[in-house]
Amino acid sequence: MYVIINLNHDGDSYFLTENLEKAQAEFDACCKEEDYNFKVILCRPTLEGTFGFGSRGELYGAEIIEEWERED
């Protein structure tokens, strides 16, 4: 499974798919929405169970495939 984590000041969203091509297309589309999104992560959970962000913002329980962050 692939997950797109879309971090936005108005709230975060998550896109789930089994297809890497669909995940890459969604990642690319989210990165183009620079006015709204400040960080987009394409990842693949590596553990059965929980994954998320730790207290310092680090992603755990998932392998980051690609990451984009808006430059201010």
Side-chain angles (χ1 to χ4, degrees):
M1 172 175 294
Y2 299 95
V3 180
I4 304 295
I5 303 171
N6 187 15
L7 304 168
N8 184 303
H9 293 294
D10 292 333
D12 302 339
S13 64
Y14 305 86
F15 179 87
L16 306 171
T17 183
E18 294 287 338
N19 184 303
L20 180 56
E21 289 178 9
K22 283 184 182 180
Q24 187 66 58
E26 181 69 16
F27 175 85
D28 293 341
C30 290
C31 291
K32 290 179 183 176
E33 296 179 16
E34 292 184 34
D35 292 341
Y36 302 105
N37 305 328
F38 63 88
K39 190 170 188 175
V40 182
I41 301 169
L42 167 56
C43 63
R44 183 176 60 84
T46 55
L47 302 174
E48 185 175 318
T50 303
F51 72 96
F53 293 97
S55 62
R56 296 188 176 128
E58 74 281 3
L59 183 65
Y60 65 88
E63 169 193 355
I64 294 176
I65 297 171
E66 196 167 353
E67 185 173 18
W68 171 87
E69 192 164 356
R70 181 175 51 203
E71 297 177 12
D72 288 327

